[in-house]
Amino acid sequence: MNSSTAQIPAGKGRIFSGIQPTGNLHLGNYLGAIRNWVALQHDFESIYCIVDLHAITVQQDPAQLRKSTREVAASLIASGISTEQSILFTQSCVPQHSELAWVFNCVTRLGWLNRMTQFKEKAGKNRENASVGLYSYPILMAADILTYKATHVPVGEDQKQHLELTRDIAQAFNSIYKKDVFPLPKPQIFGAATRVMSLRDGGVKMSKSDVSDNSRINLTDNPDIIMQKIRKAKTDPDALPSEIAGLSGRLEASNLIGIYAALADCRVEDVLFDFGGRGFGDFKPVLADLAVAKLSPIGDEMRYLLKNPDDIDSILTRGAEKASNIARPILAEVRDIVGFLGLSTDQMIKLNQDH
Ligand code: TRP
């Protein structure tokens, strides 16, 4: 058994995942990611990180970043991330992420980064003007994961390429230094049914940046607003089909049925079995009631937490402490392997603890 597997508790893998502090989260974030994080924490040792270092790869307003960081923490806690069972913290509080990212900068080839499609999308036409941080974003992501030698990473489809790069970096490091240091983390891609689309256009993803607030259900929306948004959601004039084939080409119908199935924790087939032949006039009120029942307790809890920001901060501090305890010895091992002349591992650990 090598050192990377030795630290993982028997029978459990270690999960790491990150979420951007982009302010108010919505139903798409909840059904697409957060709900899976909550479920996975029972089967894995789970480390969940609010990635504020990644956020500054594009310009941020400092006050807004602080606010959004607390909001995302509140959403995660309110959605059921247990801060006893899991580790929840902010990335910038554990400097080992940045340190490992530098080492990985020196292992990663330009050619690998040049293939990253998300950079091309985010940088757009004016690539010369994008920050170097945006370009090396995936290297920091690899560092996030491997600072903890995580074995499994729950991510959406859009992050799959970054995870493949993480595996390439882990492999390159292990081969350059001829030591089996890092595991090759496996993606846990979320199911297709959880891809939540805009309530105004079934062809685009539900998004925080959509100009129409009616296109999304925010986790902080009150029951009246949730009801209203579902009532106004775009549909077509036909009745609901009884079988999946009948949803083909009906993007809005598919989206609403998918949301119902995800919230009710059942299969799309089951929803169609119950509602096939009935119109949206029947279906929408039932969907609205279900959405309110599932989401309004989360909104209430978030509002409560956000009134007590010190409590959120102390939860995150405790999380950062637990994360540091795992990260510190792993980075000490990396420094040693790379050949940095320094204090002994024990002394380094102490130095880092003391400040
Ligand atoms: N890039 C991820 C996203 O935008 C967020 C992220 C940062 C992440 N570090 C990570 C996800 C490590 C998984 C593991 O969704």
Side-chain angles (χ1 to χ4, degrees):
M1 185 181 276
N2 64 36
S3 58
S4 58
T5 46
Q7 306 195 21
I8 296 159
K12 277 190 169 189
R14 178 179 285 161
I15 287 242
F16 183 97
S17 200
I19 188 165
Q20 292 246 15
T22 48
N24 264 342
L25 299 181
H26 53 68
L27 184 65
N29 303 118
Y30 178 69
L31 293 178
I34 301 174
R35 217 171 54 127
N36 293 285
W37 287 17
V38 173
L40 288 167
Q41 65 184 343
H42 304 298
D43 298 327
F44 291 86
E45 180 190 4
S46 316
I47 307 175
Y48 297 130
C49 181
I50 304 171
V51 294
D52 51 359
L53 297 175
H54 277 112
I56 63 162
T57 56
V58 296
Q59 208 174 327
Q60 300 287 339
D61 171 60
Q64 183 59 44
L65 179 60
R66 234 183 310 274
K67 183 165 178 270
S68 300
T69 302
R70 288 200 184 102
E71 273 172 15
V72 169
S75 320
L76 294 174
I77 298 163
S79 301
I81 296 292
S82 153
T83 52
E84 293 307 316
Q85 208 165 11
S86 309
I87 298 177
L88 177 66
F89 73 109
T90 49
Q91 191 183 27
S92 62
C93 290
V94 180
Q96 280 78 6
H97 293 237
S98 310
E99 193 178 355
L100 188 58
W102 179 258
V103 175
F104 285 170
N105 267 315
C106 303
V107 166
T108 308
R109 314 295 158 90
L110 281 183
W112 300 354
L113 279 190
N114 286 338
R115 284 200 286 275
M116 296 295 116
T117 54
Q118 189 166 356
F119 173 74
K120 291 177 195 165
E121 278 161 30
K122 283 197 182 173
K125 286 206 181 72
N126 199 358
R127 204 180 290 185
E128 293 290 305
N129 219 24
S131 73
V132 174
L134 189 66
Y135 184 62
S136 68
Y137 178 115
I139 299 182
L140 178 59
M141 181 164 158
D144 293 339
I145 298 163
L146 296 173
T147 292
Y148 304 93
K149 298 189 177 179
T151 54
H152 297 78
V153 183
V155 281
E157 271 299 325
D158 63 328
Q159 296 298 311
K160 217 173 139 190
Q161 194 187 32
H162 290 165
L163 201 64
E164 277 158 19
L165 181 79
T166 301
R167 294 165 64 88
D168 288 343
I169 293 174
Q171 208 152 27
F173 183 96
N174 291 349
S175 113
I176 289 168
Y177 294 103
K178 300 190 180 52
K179 216 163 171 227
D180 197 7
V181 183
F182 293 114
L184 306 185
K186 292 188 182 59
Q188 296 219 310
I189 301 292
F190 303 149
T194 52
R195 213 174 125 84
V196 180
M197 311 306 281
S198 156
L199 299 180
R200 308 299 306 159
D201 176 356
V204 301
K205 260 171 79 168
M206 185 174 281
S207 155
K208 158 192 156 74
S209 48
D210 196 313
V211 286
S212 162
D213 193 55
N214 281 330
S215 71
R216 63 186 158 261
I217 296 174
N218 304 301
L219 292 183
T220 44
D221 284 343
N222 67 34
D224 287 346
I225 304 267
I226 296 176
M227 295 268 187
Q228 200 180 58
K229 285 179 176 175
I230 291 178
R231 202 176 329 115
K232 285 189 183 158
K234 189 175 165 199
T235 49
D236 56 42
D238 297 337
L240 289 167
S242 325
E243 285 174 14
I244 290 197
L247 285 174
S248 122
R250 298 178 64 187
L251 299 180
E252 282 80 19
S254 304
N255 187 35
L256 294 184
I257 299 274
I259 291 173
Y260 185 99
L263 287 173
D265 234 334
C266 67
R267 297 176 319 153
V268 167
E269 287 91 330
D270 302 329
V271 187
L272 294 180
F273 183 82
D274 288 344
F275 288 94
R278 291 162 69 182
F280 284 100
D282 281 353
F283 177 66
K284 277 181 166 180
V286 188
L287 173 60
D289 283 344
L290 177 63
V292 167
K294 294 283 176 176
L295 300 179
S296 65
I298 297 177
D300 290 346
E301 174 73 8
M302 272 186 75
R303 273 184 287 277
Y304 172 78
L305 287 164
L306 288 167
K307 274 194 210 123
N308 300 282
D310 290 350
D311 292 354
I312 300 178
D313 294 2
S314 71
I315 285 172
L316 293 174
T317 306
R318 237 184 306 131
E321 239 173 277
K322 289 199 268 179
S324 295
N325 286 338
I326 303 173
R328 247 187 277 107
I330 293 177
L331 258 291
E333 182 191 2
V334 168
R335 275 188 219 114
D336 191 43
I337 288 170
V338 168
F340 292 156
L341 183 62
L343 304 171
S344 72
T345 301
D346 285 350
Q347 284 169 313
M348 285 295 278
I349 289 174
K350 191 163 177 309
L351 185 69
N352 277 299
Q353 269 169 345
D354 285 348
H355 69 72

